[in-house]
Amino acid sequence: MTQSLGELTTGARRVALVGLAKNTGKTVALNALLAELRAQGRRVGVTSVGRDGEERDAIDFRIAKPRIELAGESLVATTDLLMRTSGLPHETLERTGMRTPLGEVLIARLRGPGIVEVAGPSAAADVRAVADAMLAYGAEQILIDGAIDRRAASSPDVSDGLVMSTGAVLDRHIEEVVRRTAEAVELVRLPVADDEGEPLELAPRFALTAEGEQLAALLDAHPDARRLRVAGALPDRFLELLLNAAHRRRREFAVVVADPTKIFLSKRGPSWFRAQGIDIQTLRAIELKAITVNPVAPQSHQLDSARLRALLAETIRDVPILDVLHADYAASTALSGSRAP
Amino acid sequence: MLRAVDLKAVRPYADHLDDGLVQLSFTLPVSYSLAARKAALELAAKMGFEEPEVVHYEQLTDGYTYFVMYGRCAQTIDFTTLQETGFDIEYLGEDEIERFAAEHVGRPIVVVGASTGSDTHSVGIDAMLNLKGYHGHHGLEGYRSFKTYNLGSQVPNGVLLAKAIEVGADAILVSQTVTQQNLHVHNLTELVEMVEAEGKRREMILACGGPRVTNELAKELGYDAGFSKGTYPNHLATFLVRELAARSSAPAPA
């Protein structure tokens, strides 16, 4: 028996929807959640770190995008311009002073149901601020839609639970879609650092700019250091340098970051680095609630939904994997939309 | 007496208002022939043009024919729903920018720019930042109120960001040729995510430029502004001084 997205995210007051790329079905997942919560009469607050509910893709104009339909009494954080364009009757609760390329973000309560384009604040801290404001105005749950492959809203500093969207758009080959999804899941579910010993705190931005020689000098100055603490961003370039230096010294390291959104890997996943003696850890975990799949790559190819979900489930344990547009999705009866060709 | 334009149903204008006439040109990979002309007419009809007409066609080279056509466009656009999308900014001239910056910012505005990732095109960044500028508009380097750092092309996001933090940048400007390939888009979003990871997102203005970058795309990418073809350095400078002035007068909520 499949649990629905709504059931899976019940415990999270602020849910972030993050995709691994454009067109992985974030907004479709958002709509599925919205439909379910509407059917239960739950009052939601919605915002987006990007722009959602637009008619056409901003890069490929041929791609029609899903609209966002909100129930009456819903709260929304979007720009003044988009609120006006929606033509929906609403009450402006707050002008936030947060500026975006599409106008100033305001918090509004809809007076009736309707379709609205949602573009909230861009900065993660501002997203958290409007989410908390909407909770204070009476929303029971906040849904934060992501944009493209941006992950910042899934940080525990911003949200309490994550719905990850993946799909055929990642690659033509189903195995590659599975591999890249599994790697992204591994990243958000990295182990939380244990408290063994004081970590060596790296200087601000050292991980961004250090060259091999500087790193070597640092490691030699601290022959007993086993844990390195990176305060900000951790790019894979640094991990590769560290790997080299560690091998030469026959040492192993744990690298500790604040949370998984601070880690930037492109070629290799965390398990590869771990096998090489570099263990990436976080101070705070992300609660991954569900994975949604979109088996369709717009204007390109299509994978078999059931097979994709089965292959993902073989590799990724303990997370429900859903195709909210597929007939065997539990809440499908509550959904009105169908997959765009 | 001129007829008023119906902004709820705007269509192309050629000889008179609302005639809907469009000129289009294209090449077909077929030999110059009457059959080629017929193909062009049928194609234009499939595109939805009424009364398509070939006004000129010629052989480009063996097996290729070039066409110029007219057709009547039956579709209309409701312009009233689009009017407030923020294109109609009044840009300041250089002297006005200097005055505005002196009055509202009162210190040099630091801008760090680069073409990031594998993108080798630095033309856009050079035009915006370097003294030489382009089309007789010199770049921000030539403004008294700006201090600029142009890091060039193929700059890793981490290096760009570290430099920006080191020099206390007010703004980062990146140039990237956005295509449908996810790679280019990923380069742009990665920079934004790194700025977040370093905890600097509220302190820095992020602007991106490139041939296909609109404000809508900039918003999705997580930037504060997007600049495309037709942007002059004073357009960018106008945005930056106004944004900084607005930020200093209304600090972001805690």
Side-chain angles (χ1 to χ4, degrees), chain B residues 165-188:
Chain B
I165 297 173
E166 182 198 316
V167 300
D170 295 292
I172 296 180
L173 175 64
V174 286
S175 155
Q176 180 86 195
T177 308
V178 175
T179 66
Q180 280 153 39
Q181 289 172 11
N182 277 316
L183 173 70
H184 293 128
V185 168
H186 177 72
N187 268 331
L188 288 168

Side-chain angles (χ1 to χ4, degrees), chain A residues 181-252:
Chain A
T181 307
E183 230 168 66
V185 170
E186 210 197 335
L187 191 64
V188 302
R189 298 207 294 190
L190 280 173
V192 172
D194 39 48
D195 297 323
E196 290 167 36
E198 277 295 292
L200 175 60
E201 298 266 352
L202 301 188
R205 301 183 300 288
F206 185 81
L208 291 180
T209 56
E211 297 299 336
E213 288 163 29
Q214 291 167 279
L215 180 58
L218 180 82
L219 297 182
D220 292 338
H222 299 273
D224 299 325
R226 275 213 66 251
R227 285 147 45 85
L228 309 178
R229 169 82 171 97
V230 175
L234 173 63
D236 55 1
R237 180 177 163 279
F238 178 80
L239 290 170
E240 276 155 26
L241 289 174
L242 180 63
L243 189 64
N244 259 324
H247 276 185
R248 245 178 259 148
R249 289 163 181 76
R250 298 180 187 283
R251 289 167 71 179
E252 296 195 341

Side-chain angles (χ1 to χ4, degrees), chain B:
Chain B
M1 194 46 196
L2 281 174
R3 260 173 64 201
V5 176
D6 178 8
L7 290 178
K8 291 195 87 62
V10 172
R11 55 158 60 101
Y13 171 111
D15 295 327
H16 55 86
L17 189 63
D18 282 342
D19 60 16
L21 276 187
V22 170
Q23 176 178 322
L24 61 159
S25 60
F26 54 85
T27 301
L28 291 179
V30 297
S31 299
Y32 176 74
S33 61
L34 282 176
R37 185 174 177 278
K38 188 85 175 35
L41 284 168
E42 288 193 11
L43 189 59
K46 277 193 176 175
M47 291 179 197
F49 288 107
E50 294 174 355
E51 304 162 41
E53 189 184 342
V54 174
V55 292
H56 173 79
Y57 69 125
E58 66 182 56
Q59 174 174 311
L60 273 188
T61 178
D62 265 356
Y64 289 84
T65 308
Y66 173 73
F67 298 89
V68 177
M69 299 189 58
Y70 289 159
R72 194 179 297 280
C73 171
Q75 307 295 331
T76 62
I77 283 293
D78 183 353
F79 188 68
T80 59
T81 62
L82 304 173
Q83 261 173 323
E84 295 184 61
T85 40
F87 286 90
D88 309 321
I89 303 166
E90 277 187 35
Y91 295 109
L92 305 176
E94 192 178 332
D95 293 342
E96 294 170 301
I97 290 166
E98 301 282 28
R99 271 201 303 277
F100 188 94
E103 197 175 318
H104 297 276
V105 186
R107 58 177 173 79
I109 299 165
V110 181
V111 180
V112 177
S115 296
T116 52
S118 58
D119 204 324
T120 54
H121 299 90
S122 64
V123 190
I125 285 289
D126 292 347
M128 289 301 127
L129 294 186
N130 294 0
L131 181 61
K132 182 167 169 275
Y134 81 124
H135 279 202
H137 298 249
H138 62 68
L140 300 189
E141 193 185 358
Y143 286 66
R144 280 193 313 280
S145 46
F146 283 88
K147 171 120 186 73
T148 61
Y149 299 84
N150 183 351
L151 306 190
S153 64
Q154 291 183 284
V155 179
N157 281 321
V159 172
L160 170 60
L161 172 58
K163 180 73 180 179
I165 297 173
E166 182 198 316
V167 300
D170 295 292
I172 296 180
L173 175 64
V174 286
S175 155
Q176 180 86 195
T177 308
V178 175
T179 66
Q180 280 153 39
Q181 289 172 11
N182 277 316
L183 173 70
H184 293 128
V185 168
H186 177 72
N187 268 331
L188 288 168
T189 55
E190 188 188 70
L191 176 67
V192 174
E193 301 265 292
M194 279 191 173
V195 176
E196 286 280 5
E198 287 291 321
K200 302 287 181 191
R201 184 62 187 89
R202 274 172 166 174
E203 296 166 34
M204 282 185 191
I205 299 171
L206 302 182
C208 57
R212 304 168 67 139
V213 178
T214 58
N215 267 330
E216 282 77 10
L217 180 59
K219 178 72 190 82
E220 286 187 31
L221 294 165
Y223 287 72
D224 297 308
F227 294 96
S228 186
K229 266 201 165 73
T231 301
Y232 286 107
N234 69 302
H235 299 173
L236 175 64
T238 300
F239 164 73
L240 291 175
V241 294
R242 284 193 174 143
E243 183 66 18
L244 277 172
R247 287 185 182 202
S248 59
S249 67

